[in-house]
Amino acid sequence: MIFLTIDVAHTVMVGVSSADFGQVEELAVRYSADARHHVEGLAPMIQEVLAEAGQKIARDVLRPDAVIVGTGPAAFTGLRAGLVTARALAAAWGVEVYGLSSLEVLALAAADQGANVVVPIIDARRKEVYALRARAMGADDVEVLSDPAVLKPADLAQILVDDPAVVATIEAGLYDQHFVSALLVSPTPVVMTRLLLSRLARQEAGEEIELSTEPQYLRRPDVHSGAQAQAPATGNPYHG
């Protein structure tokens, strides 16, 4: 199977992977650090990766068998652009589109580097981060131990004193005064594909696994709320 992967929750990542008999291979990938021009940048990046992947597998026109998209959490505008693009392409091609938490993808990337319990973080702006806690579960999946939340870096650092975990981030130096030993990870097409295949296998085994493309905003967009934008989550999300 051929998968188109899209994630715009942090840097913009577009890629193509192939999966045959449990072996997942990256065929093409593009990254962009421009987080303000998702709409303009996504289409050319998708065209490029499809063309490059097609050359590798000797196809003049490459149509993926499915689309995988990161569902955030992330800023409203960029995340919406990525999800709308993924849904529109899947509808045009007549293929399935699956959603994966962008934080869980980073957690699996950290597990690939040896982390067990991991707290992946994504810059939420306003001097805050999106974070969740997860644990490696087999070679290709993670178990979510706590739901995503918006936290101040200092508050998260204090939580980690009491409940240690490996912090993982795609952005080098992100609040490094609080997370000096953060693990640098990347949301590759291979990681996204492996996580999806594991979740699909778990679904087939009877588990209730959510793979919808419903976005995780965690905040209302400022354009709707002005100065009264939704406040970040409060309390300790890692302890019930």
Side-chain angles (χ1 to χ4, degrees), residues 5 82 119 147 149 153 170 173 187 194 209 229 231:
T5 62
V119 174
D147 292 334
I170 188 174
R194 287 169 44 222
I209 303 292

Side-chain angles (χ1 to χ4, degrees), residues 39-228:
V39 175
E40 301 94 324
L42 272 175
M45 291 172 70
I46 291 169
Q47 289 177 335
E48 288 177 10
V49 296
L50 289 176
E52 180 179 328
Q55 290 176 353
K56 289 184 177 179
I57 58 178
R59 292 190 191 178
D60 293 332
V61 179
L62 179 63
R63 189 190 78 169
D65 298 297
V67 179
I68 313 171
V69 63
T71 59
F76 180 84
T77 302
L79 185 55
R80 179 178 59 181
L83 291 170
V84 168
T85 299
R87 292 168 184 160
L89 290 173
W93 287 323
V95 301
E96 293 289 339
V97 57
Y98 301 101
L100 293 173
S101 162
S102 303
L103 285 170
E104 291 174 44
V105 172
L106 296 184
L108 180 57
D112 287 344
Q113 295 191 42
N116 182 21
V117 178
V118 57
V119 174
I121 60 173
I122 294 173
D123 191 2
R125 311 304 177 187
R126 306 183 203 167
K127 298 181 180 179
E128 294 173 328
V129 293
Y130 300 117
L132 60 69
R133 180 178 288 259
R135 177 168 53 208
M137 187 173 69
D140 299 310
D141 212 331
V142 293
E143 176 189 7
V144 176
L145 303 177
S146 63
D147 292 334
V150 186
L151 294 168
K152 294 184 181 301
D155 292 342
L156 177 56
Q158 185 56 53
I159 291 169
L160 292 170
V161 170
D162 301 326
D163 202 354
V166 174
V167 175
T169 176
I170 188 174
E171 188 175 339
L174 180 61
Y175 298 110
D176 55 2
Q177 69 271 36
H178 299 291
F179 312 119
V180 293
S181 301
L183 189 65
L184 197 61
V185 296
S186 182
T188 67
V190 168
V191 171
M192 292 187 74
T193 303
R194 287 169 44 222
L195 183 56
L196 173 68
L197 293 176
S198 176
R199 299 284 166 86
L200 290 174
R202 291 168 61 188
Q203 275 189 343
E204 292 178 4
E207 290 189 56
E208 293 187 7
I209 303 292
E210 179 63 50
L211 294 173
S212 79
T213 59
E214 194 67 25
Q216 298 182 63
Y217 292 129
L218 300 192
R219 291 190 184 123
R220 289 188 292 272
D222 288 351
V223 69
H224 290 173
S225 305
Q228 301 301 316

Side-chain angles (χ1 to χ4, degrees), residues 12-67:
V12 179
M13 187 283 291
V14 175
V16 179
S17 63
S18 65
D20 293 297
F21 301 105
Q23 298 298 312
V24 181
E25 177 185 0
E26 180 181 294
L27 298 178
V29 67
R30 296 288 186 278
Y31 293 95
S32 172
D34 187 351
R36 297 185 180 275
H37 299 91
H38 298 86
V39 175
E40 301 94 324
L42 272 175
M45 291 172 70
I46 291 169
Q47 289 177 335
E48 288 177 10
V49 296
L50 289 176
E52 180 179 328
Q55 290 176 353
K56 289 184 177 179
I57 58 178
R59 292 190 191 178
D60 293 332
V61 179
L62 179 63
R63 189 190 78 169
D65 298 297
V67 179

